[in-house]
Amino acid sequence: MLTGRLWNRAKVSLTVDNLLNYKPDYYYLNAPITDGTNVMIGLGLDLF
């Protein structure tokens, strides 16, 4: 996860999940199903 500030009022974040694209051979009952690498970008604004 990377986070940075823009213009003192905005915060941008970048998250990469499963960076190495791991896929198990066998899924157990409590294992999450993965479809590869996920990239998420977020923006937060300070209004006050």
Side-chain angles (χ1 to χ4, degrees):
M1 180 176 198
L2 295 171
T3 304
R5 279 230 175 258
L6 298 173
W7 306 298
N8 290 333
R9 294 227 175 229
K11 182 171 69 170
V12 177
S13 62
L14 171 71
T15 304
V16 179
D17 187 27
N18 197 5
L19 182 63
L20 300 176
N21 201 19
Y22 172 74
K23 294 180 183 176
D25 295 328
Y26 178 77
Y27 288 100
Y28 297 97
L29 293 176
N30 61 350
I33 296 175
T34 179
D35 57 352
T37 303
N38 294 316
V39 177
M40 295 160 273
I41 299 172
L43 176 66
L45 299 174
D46 295 334
L47 299 176
F48 300 104

